[in-house]
Amino acid sequence: MILIIIMIEGGHVEGGEVTYDGRSLIIDGQRKLLFSGSIHYPRSTPEMWPSLISKAKEGGLDVIQTYVFWNLHEPQLGQYDFSGRNDLVGFIKEIEAQGLYACLRIGPFIEGEWTYGGFPFWLHDIPGIVYRSDNEPFKFYMQNFTTKIVKMMKSESLFASQGGPIILSQIENEYGNIEAAFKKKGASYVRWAAKMAVELQTGVPWLMCKQIDAPDPLINTCNGMMCGETFSGPNSPNKPSLWTENWTSFFQVYGGKPYIRSAEDIAFHVALFIARINGSYINYYMYHGGTNLGRTGAAYVTTSYYDQAPLDEYGLIRQPKWGHLKELHAAMKQCSATLLQGVRTNFSLGQYQEAYVFQEETGGGCVAFLTNYDGHNVTVQFQNTAFELLPKSISILRDCETVIFNTAKVNTEQHNKRILKRTQKFDSSDSWEEFNDVLPKMEDTSLESNTFLEQMNTTKDKSDYLWYTLRFEHNLSCTKPVLHVESFGHVAHAFLNNIYIGAAHGNHNVKGFTMDIPIMLNDGINNISIASVMVGLPDSGAFLERKFTGLRKVEIQCTEKEFYNFINFTWGYQVGLLGEKLQIYREENLDNVVWKQSTETSINRTFTWYKTFFDAPMGNDPVALNLSTMGKGEAWVNGRSIGRYWVSFLDSNGNPSQTMYHIPRSFLKISGNLLVLLEEIGGNPFQIFLNTVSIINVREDITYYHLSQ
Ligand SMILES: *[C@@H]1O[C@H](CO)[C@@H](O)[C@H](O)[C@H]1NC(C)=O
Ligand SMILES: *[C@@H]1O[C@H](CO)[C@@H](O)[C@H](O)[C@H]1NC(C)=O
Ligand SMILES: *[C@@H]1O[C@H](CO)[C@@H](O)[C@H](O)[C@H]1NC(C)=O
Ligand SMILES: *[C@@H]1O[C@H](CO)[C@@H](O)[C@H](O)[C@H]1NC(C)=O
Ligand SMILES: *[C@@H]1O[C@H](CO)[C@@H](O)[C@H](O)[C@H]1NC(C)=O
Ligand SMILES: *[C@@H]1O[C@H](CO)[C@@H](O)[C@H](O)[C@H]1NC(C)=O
Ligand SMILES: *[C@@H]1O[C@H](CO)[C@@H](O)[C@H](O)[C@H]1NC(C)=O
Ligand SMILES: *[C@@H]1O[C@H](CO)[C@@H](O)[C@H](O)[C@H]1NC(C)=O
Ligand SMILES: *[C@@H]1O[C@H](CO)[C@@H](O)[C@H](O)[C@H]1NC(C)=O
Ligand SMILES: *[C@@H]1O[C@H](CO)[C@@H](O)[C@H](O)[C@H]1NC(C)=O
Ligand SMILES: CC(=O)N[C@H]1CO[C@H](CO)[C@@H](O)[C@@H]1O
């Protein structure tokens, strides 16, 4: 109850010693029922943080949870960056200023659909390194970074034990999923990581999520959609049931459809977690997803991240999710004293119906959860009163009498609709200028090798693009040769004798793809150039340091007997595109290349840069580009990347996974904003629209429809 008062009054949270027992976290001697939401600071901008955090607070959250993004903070070994979107301290201080708590998931492996799971790529080149194992080089760098972050938080007095907002920290991340792959070194690594973390003496508990063997005093926690059903509970009776990731939706990949998880379903599982496994901390993953700006998304992950969360990509309230959960939080807070102190009993109310009752031993407080797992309405008798239970729902009864919330009953006021207003079309042909990137020839490349090079180790993640170039003398007799390419990269584009001959791509769920293109060869010398493209680095699995991407095989096939296998030929390599090297997306570098006016013939060109200038839409509404007529590439506004786009990869219904691309307001000035697009497949820039995004409230019985992207 005290917590609620603090929340309503706002202002500074009173930190204090954070401990726990089998029932809950205990902050400054008070038991806590806490609702938490993930908001990742680099997936929005510092200008957006105050409003995101205040909407989270208004939605009934007590805690903001974030990962710490190692590869943003230490892009080069020993060179740190905590500025702008990387201002972790600023983000935590904003949480504190709004009177909320923070949960800091340091990792420093985070997965998180973030490129390379948050690891800086230089880690790959540390001799003898094996990530996330009992391996000395890895442990050295993990400890070094973790220590750096903890010291930074301590020096700003941000742990609750120092009077700050951080009540929990996390070490590692879902390691239980891969621990077995490391055999004995998995278990010893878990023990080392726990000990290392505890020795940093933060004064607040450490968590390990999805880690059933989390050593004392670390708390093992649940991640998933249905922790009320799937969690086997804490690994000690002295630890509380905490849910660190209750997925409000699911991340989206290119080629995939948005995952719509209903407000009713989320509310059901949150209530069940509290009722059935004494849950006292629930975190929504994500509460605000945001945008994978730049090249920060992991393999195939869309630039828009968890747009279906209670706060959408733009930070706008998504109804009915936000409002329904707000009501659930308020209902639970009314009962929190009983939930945290009462004795729980449960009994059957029918074949698919169950009651969970929390009864205070003194004072008489009572809370009941009447659960109906069935898909039909049923009427049950509870304490001599009849209650009608909606299908797949939980009714929450204050004083075990009055229904104060039903998970399946969404308030009809709580609906809204996203409005996209077109403010500009980039259609007049004089508005665009273009530059065709240069196709590298073998003799221009500075790097040669007579075996295929692994892509990530060659690019060092400086670019998504790696060119493989080859010159060979043709002497086969066949008339219908086929270029056959096998790749572990994500996309391949092939050129033969300077002509584009085609592309192919893989998808998130299958490693690798093949491409077969009928070709015509010149007599004598022929040139092949293949661009192998990554759409983010992998972010999961054991032995990430050994992952192999890029081309695996290139052949020209005639007949079964007559073919060239180019695997042992000498190939020339070029990392990245010329425009990237010259950074022509920055205004000061535009003159590094010669741009020409775009015309109607500029449509559908591969590896072409387009630039134009535009004025910001009036007002403060969020801004987005509709790139529905483009193919695949990356976009920059005033020199800052707003992310990769990939519109040509259609989902199983024939729709692009993402057409709207967020331009954070703070990237814009009033007029003369430079927009640069790198288009790799072919698109039409004359049909691009600038939009503002807003929401209006609508009543369900009048009009309500889910607006997809
Ligand atoms: C991290 O390692 C560097 C040397 O690589 C050292 O200078 C620094 O003090 C270490 N930091 C911590 C916090 O251990
Ligand atoms: C929840 O608390 C009750 C006592 O109130 C206890 O019997 C039960 O084992 C606990 N459940 C879990 C999953 O911890
Ligand atoms: C109480 O709940 C537990 C766990 O959900 C279940 O195993 C048990 O059968 C329930 N008890 C009764 C009496 O329904
Ligand atoms: C359940 O009951 C409600 C009214 O209490 C009604 O609106 C709804 O249609 C019923 N649902 C089913 C599946 O019978
Ligand atoms: C990675 O590239 C370096 C050269 O930059 C090379 O020495 C090393 O063997 C490569 N490692 C792997 C695993 O391919
Ligand atoms: C045919 O071309 C391949 C590849 O250029 C070369 O290895 C081979 O020696 C050539 N064969 C003849 C008969 O010229
Ligand atoms: C292949 O590349 C070489 C060297 O750049 C060039 O001289 C030759 O004209 C090219 N051949 C074709 C058919 O493009
Ligand atoms: C390529 O070279 C390797 C090592 O020399 C050899 O084992 C392999 O058979 C060669 N492959 C082809 C297709 O010539
Ligand atoms: C774009 O060009 C490709 C060949 O490069 C062609 O297959 C495709 O039909 C063209 N698309 C449009 C819309 O013109
Ligand atoms: C994006 O633009 C296309 C036409 O260029 C249009 O059909 C589509 O509806 C627009 N998408 C949105 C979400 O406005
Ligand atoms: C780990 C986990 O809980 N996964 C579940 C996530 O939710 C979906 C849909 O409810 C389930 O299918 C998964 O099993």
Side-chain angles (χ1 to χ4, degrees), residues 210 223-227 230 247 250 259 261 265 269:
K210 281 200 175 180
N223 290 350
M225 287 199 183
M226 304 177 289
C227 288
T230 58
W247 302 325
F250 208 66
Y259 183 101
R261 189 177 184 203
D265 188 52
H269 286 285

Side-chain angles (χ1 to χ4, degrees), residues 375-377 388 390-391:
H376 305 282
N377 285 338
E388 192 182 20
L390 293 171

Side-chain angles (χ1 to χ4, degrees), residues 441-443 471 497-498 522 525-527:
K441 294 206 184 89
M442 189 172 173
E443 74 258 22
R471 182 150 22 124
N497 298 323
N498 295 325
N522 289 339
I525 299 288
N526 287 268
N527 301 310

Side-chain angles (χ1 to χ4, degrees), residues 22-23 232-234 241 276-278 342-345 358:
R23 198 63 206 85
S232 57
S241 287
R276 190 162 173 266
I277 16 200
N278 309 331
V343 175
R344 197 197 64 165
T345 51
F358 292 77

Side-chain angles (χ1 to χ4, degrees), residues 140 144 147-148 151:
F140 174 83
N144 191 279
T147 306
K148 166 125 192 143
K151 278 190 174 162

Side-chain angles (χ1 to χ4, degrees), residues 420 422 425 626-629 659-660 687-689 691 708-709:
L420 296 164
R422 290 178 172 179
K425 187 177 184 188
N626 181 344
L627 297 179
S628 70
T629 57
T659 58
M660 301 302 298
Q687 300 284 329
I688 293 175
F689 290 93
N691 291 257
S708 58
Q709 298 283 332

Side-chain angles (χ1 to χ4, degrees), residues 462-477:
K462 293 284 182 286
S463 171
D464 286 355
Y465 301 91
L466 179 62
W467 284 101
Y468 293 66
T469 65
L470 175 75
R471 182 150 22 124
F472 72 101
E473 187 163 0
H474 164 49
N475 57 18
L476 296 178
S477 56

